[in-house]
Amino acid sequence: MGRIICVANQKGGVGKTTTAVNLAASLADMRQRVLLIDLDPQGNATMGCGVDKHALEVSALEVLLGEVPARQAIVRGAEGLFAVLPSNSDLTAAEVRLLDAPMRDKRLHLALEPVRREYDYILIDCPPSLNMLTVNALVASDGVLVPIQTEYYALEGLSALLDTIEQIRAHRNPRLELEGIVRTMHDPRNNLANEVSYQLIGHFRDKVFRTIIPRNVRVAEAPSHGLPVMLYDKQSRGAVSYMALASELTRRHRTQPVSAQT
């Protein structure tokens, strides 16, 4: 059964969507069956995979509201490399309509059950806030991957996210765990960036991925072409780093005991 990982951080501008898209592409390049779910009304992950968010007939909105099955809304993105459940600004309506809906926090979980076995990894790009969409992602997921920019405000809001993870695990989803922390947009020439990096390792230890995602122009350029960086420039430092992250992620899962993966 595929592992469901949500990429979450309520602080914006930390490389959350970039990480979701490029990790999906890197895992797919490793011959993993991957589904990327765009659960952010901005639809940036959708566009970054080459899917036109303005031309969607059905999207994550209809899936969450139970109007169409997930399989009907899934499309191929990134030149067919992996599957995408796309979204656009219509998804904003889901936040309001789910407030009075039955089982409002389990809508995504229930929608994914029929298709989960078709994928090795399902990645969910969450909005930069702890709203009902993010709660749905946490309830549906096995792990939470947290991108953190190595800067002064890196730890701002992280405690709130960790508290939310604990609450979801205690009351709604006992299998949820912290998948790990990814350091993004890192500049090793910056002393503050290095200090923040050391602080993260000191506090979270082996939950911090060894792979560091550097600042890279090619990573920033790729979304404007509707491509993950590995399809835009596979030799770039950014592409190589995301491939390394995908390798580290899969290696961690291979070394986990079976009981920890179920």
Side-chain angles (χ1 to χ4, degrees):
M1 184 175 293
R3 184 166 182 81
I4 303 177
I5 301 171
C6 65
V7 183
N9 190 332
Q10 72 268 34
K11 187 176 186 299
V14 297
K16 177 181 57 62
T17 296
T18 299
T19 295
V21 170
N22 287 297
L23 181 58
S26 298
L27 287 167
D29 192 62
M30 297 170 61
R31 299 186 183 281
Q32 301 293 312
R33 299 169 301 165
V34 179
L35 168 63
L36 174 63
I37 298 174
D38 189 351
L39 216 60
D40 188 340
Q42 296 178 83
N44 290 336
T46 297
M47 296 292 282
C49 296
V51 178
D52 185 356
K53 66 181 181 181
H54 303 292
L56 300 177
E57 295 184 6
V58 290
S59 67
L61 170 63
E62 287 79 14
V63 173
L64 284 173
L65 296 179
E67 296 174 0
V68 300
R71 188 176 285 107
Q72 186 175 326
I74 291 172
V75 298
R76 299 301 297 183
E79 299 183 353
L81 189 60
F82 56 87
V84 179
L85 177 56
S87 78
N88 54 28
S89 58
D90 292 346
L91 190 58
T92 304
E95 298 180 46
V96 178
R97 295 174 65 179
L98 285 175
L99 290 176
D100 298 319
M103 303 184 73
R104 60 184 182 180
D105 58 348
K106 298 190 70 174
R107 290 303 187 94
L108 184 61
H109 169 74
L110 295 172
L112 292 179
E113 282 302 301
V115 300
R116 183 171 182 175
R117 293 183 181 276
E118 299 173 17
Y119 302 98
D120 299 306
Y121 286 94
I122 298 176
L123 303 181
I124 307 172
D125 182 33
C126 296
S129 59
L130 295 177
N131 58 18
M132 186 53 63
L133 294 174
T134 302
V135 170
N136 262 268
L138 293 170
V139 171
S141 296
D142 302 303
V144 185
L145 184 69
V146 185
I148 289 185
Q149 187 176 355
T150 51
E151 61 170 18
Y152 181 73
Y153 293 109
L155 303 181
E156 182 181 318
L158 181 58
S159 60
L161 176 60
L162 296 178
D163 288 344
T164 301
I165 292 172
E166 285 300 324
Q167 291 174 22
I168 295 293
R169 177 161 49 205
H171 302 291
R172 293 179 175 88
N173 179 8
R175 73 182 186 280
L176 184 67
E177 63 179 358
L178 178 61
E179 190 76 28
I181 293 172
V182 181
R183 292 161 287 175
T184 59
M185 301 183 222
H186 182 71
D187 184 351
R189 300 167 299 178
N190 186 312
N191 290 334
L192 178 59
N194 292 325
E195 178 60 30
V196 170
S197 182
Y198 296 144
Q199 288 180 8
L200 287 170
I201 294 173
H203 189 74
F204 294 100
R205 301 190 180 279
D206 61 350
K207 284 297 184 180
V208 179
F209 282 91
R210 300 181 69 175
T211 303
I212 299 176
I213 309 300
R215 284 193 178 276
N216 183 248
V217 172
R218 298 310 232 178
V219 170
E221 292 175 346
S224 66
H225 296 268
L227 294 171
V229 68
M230 68 159 297
L231 294 180
Y232 179 62
D233 185 352
K234 195 170 186 176
Q235 305 305 316
S236 66
R237 290 172 60 235
V240 171
S241 296
Y242 276 113
M243 283 298 297
L245 178 63
S247 296
E248 186 176 355
L249 181 72
T250 56
R251 189 164 59 248
R252 283 188 178 193
H253 295 158
R254 285 197 299 270
T255 57
Q256 283 181 353
V258 173
S259 59
Q261 299 182 43
T262 57

Coordinates of all heavy atoms in Angstrom, one line a residue, residues 38-71:
D38 N -2.5 18.4 -5.2 CA -2.4 19.8 -4.9 C -3.6 20.2 -4.1 O -4.8 20.3 -4.5 CB -2.4 20.6 -6.3 CG -2.1 22.1 -6.1 OD1 -2.1 22.5 -4.9 OD2 -1.9 22.8 -7.1
L39 N -3.4 20.5 -2.8 CA -4.4 20.8 -1.9 C -4.4 22.3 -1.5 O -4.9 22.7 -0.5 CB -4.4 20.0 -0.6 CG -5.7 19.6 0.0 CD1 -6.6 18.8 -1.0 CD2 -5.5 18.7 1.3
D40 N -3.7 23.1 -2.3 CA -3.5 24.5 -2.1 C -4.4 25.3 -3.2 O -4.1 25.1 -4.4 CB -2.1 24.9 -2.2 CG -1.8 26.4 -1.8 OD1 -2.8 27.2 -1.8 OD2 -0.7 26.7 -1.5
P41 N -5.3 26.1 -2.8 CA -6.1 26.8 -3.7 C -5.3 27.7 -4.7 O -5.9 28.1 -5.8 CB -7.1 27.7 -2.9 CG -7.1 27.0 -1.6 CD -5.8 26.4 -1.4
Q42 N -4.1 28.0 -4.4 CA -3.3 28.8 -5.3 C -3.0 28.0 -6.6 O -2.7 28.5 -7.6 CB -2.0 29.2 -4.6 CG -2.2 30.2 -3.5 CD -0.9 30.6 -2.8 OE1 -0.2 31.5 -3.3 NE2 -0.5 29.8 -1.7
G43 N -3.0 26.6 -6.5 CA -2.8 25.8 -7.6 C -1.4 25.8 -8.2 O -1.2 25.5 -9.4
N44 N -0.4 26.2 -7.4 CA 1.0 26.4 -7.9 C 1.6 25.0 -8.2 O 2.3 24.9 -9.2 CB 1.9 27.1 -6.9 CG 1.5 28.6 -6.8 OD1 0.9 29.1 -7.7 ND2 1.8 29.2 -5.6
A45 N 1.3 24.0 -7.4 CA 1.8 22.7 -7.8 C 1.2 22.1 -9.1 O 1.9 21.5 -9.9 CB 1.5 21.7 -6.6
T46 N 0.0 22.4 -9.3 CA -0.7 22.0 -10.5 C 0.0 22.6 -11.7 O 0.4 21.9 -12.7 CB -2.2 22.5 -10.5 OG1 -2.9 21.8 -9.4 CG2 -2.9 22.1 -11.8
M47 N 0.2 23.9 -11.7 CA 0.9 24.6 -12.8 C 2.4 24.2 -12.9 O 2.9 24.1 -14.0 CB 0.8 26.1 -12.6 CG -0.6 26.7 -12.6 SD -1.4 26.6 -14.2 CE -0.6 28.0 -15.0
G48 N 3.0 23.9 -11.8 CA 4.4 23.5 -11.8 C 4.6 22.1 -12.4 O 5.7 21.7 -12.8
C49 N 3.5 21.4 -12.6 CA 3.5 20.1 -13.2 C 3.1 20.1 -14.7 O 2.9 19.1 -15.3 CB 2.7 19.1 -12.5 SG 3.2 18.7 -10.8
G50 N 2.9 21.3 -15.2 CA 2.4 21.5 -16.6 C 1.0 21.3 -16.8 O 0.5 21.1 -18.0
V51 N 0.2 21.3 -15.8 CA -1.3 21.2 -15.9 C -1.9 22.6 -15.8 O -1.6 23.3 -14.8 CB -1.9 20.3 -14.8 CG1 -3.4 20.2 -14.9 CG2 -1.2 18.9 -14.9
D52 N -2.8 23.0 -16.7 CA -3.4 24.3 -16.7 C -4.5 24.3 -15.7 O -5.6 23.7 -15.9 CB -3.9 24.6 -18.1 CG -4.5 26.0 -18.2 OD1 -4.5 26.7 -17.2 OD2 -4.9 26.4 -19.3
K53 N -4.3 25.0 -14.6 CA -5.3 25.1 -13.5 C -6.6 25.8 -14.0 O -7.7 25.6 -13.4 CB -4.8 25.8 -12.3 CG -4.4 27.2 -12.4 CD -3.8 27.8 -11.1 CE -3.5 29.3 -11.3 NZ -2.9 29.8 -10.0
H54 N -6.5 26.6 -15.0 CA -7.7 27.4 -15.5 C -8.6 26.5 -16.4 O -9.7 27.0 -16.7 CB -7.2 28.6 -16.2 CG -6.3 29.5 -15.4 ND1 -6.8 30.2 -14.3 CD2 -5.0 29.8 -15.5 CE1 -5.8 30.9 -13.8 NE2 -4.7 30.7 -14.5
A55 N -8.1 25.4 -16.8 CA -8.8 24.6 -17.8 C -9.4 23.3 -17.2 O -9.8 22.4 -17.9 CB -8.0 24.2 -19.0
L56 N -9.4 23.2 -15.8 CA -9.8 22.0 -15.2 C -11.4 21.8 -15.3 O -12.1 22.7 -15.0 CB -9.4 22.0 -13.7 CG -7.9 22.1 -13.4 CD1 -7.7 22.1 -11.9 CD2 -7.1 20.9 -14.0
E57 N -11.8 20.6 -15.6 CA -13.2 20.3 -15.6 C -13.6 19.8 -14.2 O -14.7 20.1 -13.7 CB -13.5 19.2 -16.6 CG -13.3 19.7 -18.1 CD -13.7 18.7 -19.1 OE1 -14.3 17.6 -18.7 OE2 -13.5 18.9 -20.3
V58 N -12.8 19.0 -13.6 CA -13.0 18.6 -12.2 C -11.6 18.7 -11.5 O -10.6 18.6 -12.1 CB -13.5 17.1 -12.1 CG1 -15.0 17.1 -12.6 CG2 -12.6 16.1 -12.8
S59 N -11.7 18.8 -10.2 CA -10.4 19.0 -9.4 C -10.5 18.5 -8.0 O -11.5 17.7 -7.7 CB -10.1 20.5 -9.4 OG -11.1 21.2 -8.6
A60 N -9.6 18.8 -7.2 CA -9.6 18.4 -5.8 C -10.9 18.8 -5.1 O -11.3 18.2 -4.1 CB -8.4 18.9 -5.1
L61 N -11.5 19.9 -5.5 CA -12.7 20.4 -4.9 C -13.8 19.4 -5.0 O -14.4 19.0 -3.9 CB -13.1 21.7 -5.5 CG -14.5 22.2 -5.1 CD1 -14.6 22.6 -3.7 CD2 -14.9 23.4 -6.0
E62 N -14.1 18.9 -6.2 CA -15.2 18.0 -6.4 C -14.9 16.6 -5.6 O -15.8 16.0 -5.1 CB -15.4 17.7 -7.8 CG -16.1 18.9 -8.6 CD -15.1 20.0 -8.9 OE1 -13.9 19.8 -8.8 OE2 -15.6 21.1 -9.3
V63 N -13.6 16.3 -5.5 CA -13.2 15.0 -4.8 C -13.5 15.2 -3.3 O -14.1 14.3 -2.7 CB -11.7 14.7 -5.1 CG1 -11.3 13.5 -4.2 CG2 -11.5 14.4 -6.6
L64 N -13.1 16.3 -2.8 CA -13.3 16.5 -1.3 C -14.8 16.6 -1.0 O -15.2 16.1 0.1 CB -12.6 17.8 -0.9 CG -11.1 17.7 -0.7 CD1 -10.5 19.1 -0.4 CD2 -10.7 16.8 0.4
L65 N -15.6 17.2 -1.9 CA -17.0 17.3 -1.6 C -17.8 16.0 -2.0 O -19.0 15.9 -1.8 CB -17.6 18.5 -2.4 CG -17.0 19.8 -2.1 CD1 -17.7 20.9 -2.9 CD2 -17.3 20.1 -0.6
G66 N -17.1 15.0 -2.5 CA -17.7 13.7 -2.8 C -18.5 13.7 -4.0 O -19.4 12.8 -4.2
E67 N -18.3 14.7 -4.9 CA -19.1 14.8 -6.1 C -18.5 13.9 -7.3 O -19.3 13.5 -8.1 CB -19.1 16.3 -6.6 CG -19.9 17.2 -5.6 CD -19.8 18.6 -6.0 OE1 -19.1 19.0 -7.0 OE2 -20.3 19.5 -5.2
V68 N -17.2 13.6 -7.2 CA -16.6 12.7 -8.2 C -15.6 11.9 -7.5 O -15.0 12.3 -6.5 CB -15.9 13.5 -9.4 CG1 -16.9 14.3 -10.1 CG2 -14.8 14.3 -8.9
P69 N -15.3 10.7 -7.9 CA -14.3 9.8 -7.3 C -12.9 10.4 -7.7 O -12.7 11.1 -8.7 CB -14.5 8.5 -7.9 CG -15.2 8.7 -9.2 CD -16.1 9.9 -9.0
A70 N -11.9 10.2 -6.8 CA -10.6 10.7 -7.1 C -10.0 10.3 -8.5 O -9.4 11.1 -9.2 CB -9.6 10.2 -6.0
R71 N -10.3 9.0 -8.8 CA -9.7 8.5 -10.1 C -10.2 9.3 -11.3 O -9.5 9.5 -12.3 CB -10.1 7.1 -10.3 CG -9.5 6.4 -11.5 CD -9.8 4.9 -11.5 NE -9.1 4.1 -10.5 CZ -9.6 3.6 -9.4 NH1 -10.9 3.7 -9.2 NH2 -8.9 2.9 -8.6

